[in-house]
Amino acid sequence: MCYAIVRFGKEFSLIMSIAPEISTEQKIKDVARVIFTKKGFLATTIRDIATEADINVASINYHFGSKENLFAFIMDETIKRLFDKIEPVFNDETTTIAKKIELCVGYYIDQILENPDFIFFMVNEVMGGSTKLPMINNMRSLVNSYFAKQLQALQITGGISFHPVNIMWNMAGMITFPFLSRPQILQSGSFNQDEFLELMQERKKLIPVWLNAMMNV
Amino acid sequence: MCYAIVRFGKEFSLIMSIAPEISTEQKIKDVARVIFTKKGFLATTIRDIATEADINVASINYHFGSKENLFAFIMDETIKRLFDKIEPVFNDETTTIAKKIELCVGYYIDQILENPDFIFFMVNEVMGGSTKLPMINNMRSLVNSYFAKQLQALQITGGISFHPVNIMWNMAGMITFPFLSRPQILQSGSFNQDEFLELMQERKKLIPVWLNAMMNV
DNA sequence: GATTGATTAAAACAATTGTTTAAAACAGGC
DNA sequence: GCCTGTTTTAAACAATTGTTTTAATCAATC
């Protein structure tokens, strides 16, 4: 609980919760997400988190059991956030393939632009190679989505001449690659931060166009 | 040095180097490449390497100074191997853009198929965020390659209506993404190992076609 | 105001890490 | 056979890690 002793003329009064209450648990989660995302699981120490959150190291294990538990918890939350927004788009039965792609690309790029390290977080998880990942269930739900069915139908009717999963892979690859190599891109001096962002804004419009062109080969 | 005592009738003879000489240094490099690639820099311990290479931990620091030095050495070598093959393709002034893309895609995918963890190695490096990377010099040389000039010319003459770097990013993204998510793909059960490989073989032919379609939008 | 249960804090713990030391083993030249 | 410099080994070192312990603090209830 957060107090403040406030002078008011000659009176002193004790005011509770002058700042919005932020629980230790929430502080840990907020800080841990940032540090895990930036440095990865292994390079992050619970002392990093404790220092940054201004709490005791023991509190982390008290609230989350272990470093690994904390990481898993945050990971679940992060992935859930993403898929909770993508799934409705994919399963909307009233929109065309082209519209779904347009929405998905736009949303995905915006998501990464807001949280640039998110992509590293995802890759980190993949590379960790751990099983029982919430990611897999989410991926499976995308494979079974209405969008997937639309693509399969497109293949059967001869609309595309290749396996529909290629559409998904190409979309994901085109969205994510520039972000993955961004550190190198910026450091090599080919583009500065603003130029990079502008290119990504252009790509929001271009990727759907490109994917459309692909489907017509 | 490697000896063997070989029986020959009633004679015994001492034969030197019956097996090809493998120096300690080479053993360390071979083992370290595999383990670093598989587990990443942080998760790899010099004791892992020493045990696997069947040598003493101190030998690693004797020959390479430090774990970080060893990693940098291997990284340099690995990246050099890749770019030494891509650069000639990119700088050949007698081949068309389409042909360069075809060669590059095919070679790149083959390279990753041969060493599936290579892509994680690359991403690991990017995510490590270290400076003074040989990678950056290599990327810069690609940006200044004859292929890049061909793409720029194509944009100027109106052959493409967007920044040529998008071609590079799309090519790289489409090549790498399936490999990055392979662990999830296989684990989710959508495809098995053989199906995945077959899809990648198809993509060797399809990606150049798709890129060509893109350039005509 | 004492009691209770939940939370926080400081310190210690055990294990693992990369690195160094100092001695042994080795190979080659005289 | 002895000496020389190189390589390998076992052991120790210092630092850092995640975790646990134990006591103090806090907020609420009676």
Side-chain angles (χ1 to χ4, degrees), chain A residues 126-139:
Chain A
V126 174
M127 294 173 64
S130 63
T131 54
K132 80 168 179 59
L133 297 172
M135 182 100 192
I136 290 179
N137 288 328
N138 283 307
M139 276 187 57

Side-chain angles (χ1 to χ4, degrees), chain A residues 17-76:
Chain A
S17 301
I18 53 156
E21 181 85 6
I22 299 170
S23 68
T24 303
E25 210 166 303
Q26 193 58 46
K27 270 200 291 186
I28 293 172
K29 276 160 58 176
D30 291 345
V31 168
R33 165 166 291 114
V34 173
I35 301 184
F36 275 139
T37 301
K38 186 152 46 181
K39 310 212 291 182
F41 177 73
L42 284 170
T44 301
T45 71
I46 57 168
R47 283 173 179 82
D48 287 344
I49 298 170
T51 304
E52 192 67 29
D54 201 30
I55 50 110
N56 192 278
V57 280
S59 285
I60 294 174
N61 279 5
Y62 174 76
H63 285 285
F64 293 93
S66 69
K67 177 190 173 186
E68 194 142 3
N69 266 8
L70 172 60
F71 181 74
F73 184 89
I74 288 175
M75 202 175 68
D76 286 10

Side-chain angles (χ1 to χ4, degrees), chain A residues 109-126:
Chain A
I109 289 183
D110 284 341
Q111 169 92 354
I112 305 181
L113 284 174
E114 265 176 45
N115 182 1
D117 294 316
F118 174 76
I119 189 68
F120 295 113
F121 191 69
M122 298 275 281
V123 174
N124 242 341
E125 188 200 350
V126 174

Side-chain angles (χ1 to χ4, degrees), chain A residues 201-217:
Chain A
Q201 289 299 337
E202 284 179 32
R203 283 176 75 83
K204 281 209 292 196
K205 297 173 206 143
L206 285 168
I207 290 174
V209 176
W210 290 328
L211 285 168
N212 191 57
M214 261 176 212
M215 291 192 280
N216 293 325
V217 297

Side-chain angles (χ1 to χ4, degrees), chain B residues 107 141 214:
Chain B
Y107 173 69
S141 88
M214 263 176 211

Side-chain angles (χ1 to χ4, degrees), chain A residues 182-194:
Chain A
R182 173 154 72 166
Q184 318 295 54
I185 291 167
L186 295 181
Q187 205 157 18
S188 73
S190 307
F191 303 103
N192 63 33
Q193 179 74 15
D194 290 340

